[in-house]
Amino acid sequence: MSSSAGLPGFNTRAIHAGQDPDPATGDVVVPLHLATTFKQDGVGGLRGGYEYARSANPTRTALQEALAALEQGRTGLAFASGLAAEDTLLRTVCEPGSHVVLGGDAYGGTFRLISRVASRWGVEHTPADLNDVDALRAAIRPSTRVVWCETPTNPLLNVADIALVAEVAHEAGALLVVDNTFASPYLQQPLTLGADVVVHSTTKYLGGHSDVVGGALVVGDDADLAEQLAYHQNAMGAVSGPLSDWLVLRGIKTLGVRMDRHQANAARVAEFLLAHDAVASVRYPGLPDHPGHDIAAKQMSGFGGMLSFRVAGGEEAALRVCERSQLFTLAESLGGVESLIEHPARMTHASAAGSPLEVPGDLVRLSVGIEDADDLLADLEQALA
Ligand SMILES: *Cc1c(COP(=O)(O)O)cnc(C)c1O
């Protein structure tokens, strides 16, 4: 990926932003700072602004600077999980009576947070198809504070036009929040397309090794919003711990090379599935007949490592494919180096059953890892046989 607007290139930022060698020791890797409190040189005499580790910790500072640099935002904030980040964001920008428009098939946990938790505090919501501008406009009310957009979506890989949705949200005085977990900042930088805040589950591609749960918010130009979110990060306390921060920082350094392999493998898997008799349809934005292909090609620099497909034999057959795969491990989550398979209707999206966000029972989702593609195809072949 090339550099933009005078910034160093993406991979250079991933390895260096916020991660200068330690001034005292020369450590080339940001140290894991475990201290909960920091010595003051006289009352209020803080060294580097550090006082108490919920408020700020040097390892977290490094991660936050790296995240902001990758998304081309002004402020990055790290949290204990993606949902902790989302909760802090919603409780910062909404109040009782506020309304959220939530795009199509949002992540099940996001839908649960908004529909079952935030609703108890008087926050209302309307699901809408973000690809249908009239439907989006119709869903927006005077009290709409947030349009929540995930693109590509989980698990149907629908693609929304971020610039267009930003325009409609802003016309109505609402903020556009983009959950960029699936694409990662390597493939898509929503703040540059008009989004106000980017949300990440760093548990996924940013961490990249299935060994850390974390979340992040990155804010664009809005200094007041950035300040309020930073205030609430400390006041609400759902901060990430230093070991998590350190692991995400380590993951970020290889994000670019991992994503290149993830998407090369996903493209091979998509073509293989498309040609397979036991597969009814394949959802991958890189396929030319995917309904969001053109928008994805315009706003992303690649099509990512996630895909889903419908099994011709129906739900029972889909469950059998999940059980028979071996190299693709049957597990929730995504974005790690190892390939995963799951059944969204019974696993990640079970909480959306009976809601407008319910997903088909014959759908299987793959997080395509960075193993050798031939081995992945062989595993799917035997699982589908
Ligand atoms: C996993 C995920 C989340 C939630 O993040 P956690 O780290 O599990 O709390 C939010 N959005 C998407 C798209 C996700 O995949």
Side-chain angles (χ1 to χ4, degrees), residues 138-163:
I140 290 176
R141 305 176 188 168
S143 58
T144 303
R145 282 293 289 140
V146 172
V147 174
W148 192 285
C149 172
E150 211 179 294
T151 182
T153 62
N154 178 12
L156 292 173
L157 285 304
N158 288 318
V159 175
D161 186 330
I162 295 172

Side-chain angles (χ1 to χ4, degrees), residues 64 83 114 137 166 181 188 191 196 210 218 226 235 269 273 320 337 347-348 351 380:
Q64 294 184 154
L83 282 174
I114 292 172
R137 284 214 171 89
T181 300
Q188 171 173 285
L191 299 176
D196 300 285
S210 304
V218 184
V269 168
L273 291 171
R320 274 199 306 280
V337 292
M347 294 170 63
T348 48
S351 63
L380 291 171

Side-chain angles (χ1 to χ4, degrees), residues 79-86 105-110 112 148 150-154 179-183 199-204 212-216 306 333-334 348-349 365:
F79 294 87
S81 68
L83 282 174
E86 295 183 17
D105 51 341
Y107 175 71
T110 300
R112 183 176 57 200
W148 192 285
E150 211 179 294
T151 182
T153 62
N154 178 12
D179 183 335
N180 201 27
T181 300
F182 263 41
V199 172
H200 278 288
S201 170
T202 56
T203 314
K204 315 295 169 50
V212 56
V213 171
M306 296 300 300
S333 200
L334 61 108
T348 48
H349 289 64
R365 187 188 79 180

Side-chain angles (χ1 to χ4, degrees), residues 203-212 250-251 254 258 335-338:
T203 314
K204 315 295 169 50
Y205 286 108
L206 288 163
H209 297 75
S210 304
D211 55 8
V212 56
R250 184 164 71 169
T254 56
R258 284 186 287 111
V337 292
E338 65 287 302

Side-chain angles (χ1 to χ4, degrees), residues 2-365:
S2 62
S3 58
S4 57
L7 288 174
F10 185 90
N11 294 298
T12 305
R13 304 204 300 281
I15 293 167
H16 296 288
Q19 303 168 73
D20 287 340
D22 188 81
T25 61
D27 288 60
V28 298
V29 172
V30 171
L32 171 55
H33 289 271
L34 293 171
T36 56
T37 189
F38 301 85
K39 176 178 162 60
Q40 304 193 7
D41 298 316
V43 175
L46 308 185
R47 299 182 191 179
Y50 296 103
E51 176 179 29
Y52 178 60
R54 168 166 38 71
S55 311
N57 160 297
T59 312
R60 191 166 84 227
T61 301
L63 171 60
Q64 294 184 154
E65 287 179 9
L67 289 166
L70 296 188
E71 289 287 3
Q72 300 192 49
R74 69 157 42 233
T75 301
L77 298 166
F79 294 87
S81 68
L83 282 174
E86 295 183 17
D87 181 41
T88 303
L89 172 60
L90 287 166
R91 287 201 274 158
T92 301
V93 301
C94 294
E95 55 191 15
S98 297
H99 178 246
V100 176
V101 174
L102 160 78
D105 51 341
Y107 175 71
T110 300
F111 180 67
R112 183 176 57 200
L113 176 66
I114 292 172
S115 67
R116 309 244 170 103
V117 182
S119 59
R120 295 184 54 219
W121 305 93
V123 174
E124 297 173 342
H125 69 280
T126 307
D129 178 356
L130 300 184
N131 287 305
D132 179 343
V133 173
D134 294 334
L136 172 57
R137 284 214 171 89
I140 290 176
R141 305 176 188 168
S143 58
T144 303
R145 282 293 289 140
V146 172
V147 174
W148 192 285
C149 172
E150 211 179 294
T151 182
T153 62
N154 178 12
L156 292 173
L157 285 304
N158 288 318
V159 175
D161 186 330
I162 295 172
L164 185 61
V165 176
E167 207 179 296
V168 177
H170 293 158
E171 270 168 22
L175 296 170
L176 175 63
V177 173
V178 175
D179 183 335
N180 201 27
T181 300
F182 263 41
S184 89
Y186 181 64
L187 300 181
Q188 171 173 285
Q189 292 164 19
L191 299 176
T192 67
L193 299 166
D196 300 285
V197 184
V198 165
V199 172
H200 278 288
S201 170
T202 56
T203 314
K204 315 295 169 50
Y205 286 108
L206 288 163
H209 297 75
S210 304
D211 55 8
V212 56
V213 171
L217 300 175
V218 184
V219 188
D221 296 332
D222 190 335
D224 289 342
L225 179 60
E227 198 179 308
Q228 286 168 31
L229 287 167
Y231 179 83
H232 280 131
Q233 180 196 36
N234 179 51
M236 291 167 60
V239 294
S240 50
L243 178 58
S244 303
D245 296 330
W246 192 90
L247 286 167
V248 175
L249 260 181
R250 184 164 71 169
I252 281 176
K253 292 176 204 280
T254 56
L255 179 65
V257 289
R258 284 186 287 111
M259 291 311 293
D260 284 341
R261 175 65 77 87
H262 279 296
Q263 57 186 354
N265 282 356
R268 293 249 343 245
V269 168
E271 273 161 33
F272 166 83
L273 291 171
L274 204 56
H276 202 287
D277 289 344
V279 174
S281 62
V282 181
R283 308 277 306 183
Y284 182 61
L287 295 174
D289 68 344
H290 185 280
H293 176 73
D294 292 345
I295 301 168
K298 183 183 74 173
Q299 71 189 10
M300 300 173 72
S301 59
F303 302 107
M306 296 300 300
L307 61 87
S308 59
F309 62 99
R310 297 180 75 163
V311 179
E315 178 156 9
E316 288 308 315
L319 292 169
R320 274 199 306 280
V321 172
C322 294
E323 280 154 20
R324 290 176 55 160
S325 66
Q326 288 171 0
L327 194 50
F328 278 87
T329 301
L330 176 58
E332 298 194 358
S333 200
L334 61 108
V337 292
E338 65 287 302
S339 292
L340 302 178
I341 189 167
E342 69 116 4
H343 187 263
R346 300 237 183 141
M347 294 170 63
T348 48
H349 289 64
S351 63
S355 81
L357 306 188
E358 185 170 324
V359 295
D362 58 4
L363 189 77
V364 172
R365 187 188 79 180

